[in-house]
Amino acid sequence: MKFLRSLALLMLLVFVSPITVRGWGVDGHFITCKIAQGRLSQKAVDAVNHLLPDYAEGDLASLCSWPDHVKFRYHWSSPLHYIDTPDNLCTYQYRRDCKDEDGVMGRCVAGAIRNYTTQLLEYGKQESQYNLTEALLFLSHFMGDIHQPLHVGFTTDRGGNTIEVHWFTRKAVLHHVWDDSIIETEEERFYESNVENLINAIETNITNVWADQVQTWENCSRNQKTCPNIYATEGIKAACDWAYKGVTNGSVLEDEYFQSRLPIVNWRLAQGGVRLAANLNRIFG
């Protein structure tokens, strides 16, 4: 059974091509999942290793971008990567905002996190109606997505995807700046273009600079396994306070924007990783 699951996932990965994504880019998802891996309980490590296909060799981070690559095949999954909120209100409400373009409730990243958490709670039962390997990969990816501020953005500009800017001398859209450009520039300037060095720096901040915040990040209200409404509410606030602020079509974003927004990006990556680990630890006991 595990061989067949591994083969099916491998075939999906072989026949995909890069597509436009909403949420962190490849490095952002890798960072989030790598941080989470280092914080898993032994029970969670065992469950994750059992669910991952063999070729992943126990490395969850290596497959955390998989849900972006299969959107062309799983068309139904595209709306699950983001939340569109009313322009300029800078608030999120589940019943108002968590729906797709056809108005189907629950079809947003917050609803997806709830759904795949519920599916994974069937782990260990003799039979499950769900593909728990896919549930693990979707949940891990969406926990990263919901922490990218523009992933909970405004409806009209599609989370910054229609706001054209210059990132230093290169043309980009604002959403891509937050997906990739800030992280890539940070890696180039400070970490010799090595994502592992950046991960080490963020993990150091988790145990030092942000140590007094970590327990709050990990906690969930009313004994729930996951709290995506909290993550989404933080996301739209960060989008308004930092991502959108001072930016219009044609803006040139250079050092001032980069240096002031960089701490927010690293903070959200850290929160996503810590919370993913906490969620998986609660799920797998």
Side-chain angles (χ1 to χ4, degrees), residues 38-94:
R39 304 179 66 85
L40 294 178
S41 67
Q42 189 57 52
K43 286 185 177 180
V45 168
D46 293 342
V48 168
N49 288 344
H50 180 251
L51 289 173
L52 286 176
D54 292 332
Y55 64 83
E57 298 181 344
D59 186 8
L60 175 62
S62 69
L63 289 179
C64 272
S65 289
W66 174 80
D68 277 332
H69 298 309
V70 296
K71 284 192 289 187
F72 82 100
R73 178 175 179 138
Y74 293 170
H75 295 290
W76 50 267
S77 71
S78 292
L80 305 183
H81 290 252
Y82 60 92
I83 301 168
D84 287 333
T85 69
D87 294 2
N88 301 309
L89 284 187
C90 298
T91 62
Y92 161 77
Q93 297 176 15
Y94 183 85

Side-chain angles (χ1 to χ4, degrees), residues 18-38:
I19 57 176
T20 301
V21 300
R22 295 176 61 103
W24 297 122
V26 172
D27 278 8
H29 283 294
F30 184 85
I31 291 165
T32 297
C33 287
K34 206 70 170 179
I35 291 169
Q37 284 178 205

Side-chain angles (χ1 to χ4, degrees), residues 1 41 76 90 104 151 195 236 280:
M1 180 64 70
S41 67
W76 50 267
C90 298
V104 179
H151 203 79
V195 67
I236 185 58
L280 294 177

Side-chain angles (χ1 to χ4, degrees), residues 76-142:
W76 50 267
S77 71
S78 292
L80 305 183
H81 290 252
Y82 60 92
I83 301 168
D84 287 333
T85 69
D87 294 2
N88 301 309
L89 284 187
C90 298
T91 62
Y92 161 77
Q93 297 176 15
Y94 183 85
R95 296 186 65 82
R96 183 191 68 195
D97 303 327
C98 190
K99 56 189 175 184
D100 63 17
E101 292 181 351
D102 296 322
V104 179
M105 287 297 302
R107 286 184 48 77
C108 78
V109 68
I113 288 172
R114 287 182 174 180
N115 178 48
Y116 288 112
T117 296
T118 299
Q119 290 188 22
L120 285 171
L121 288 170
E122 293 206 357
Y123 178 78
K125 296 182 179 179
Q126 284 191 332
E127 293 185 10
S128 174
Q129 61 180 311
Y130 305 114
N131 183 324
L132 297 185
T133 295
E134 291 191 357
L136 172 65
L137 298 183
F138 275 123
L139 176 62
S140 299
H141 181 90
F142 293 146

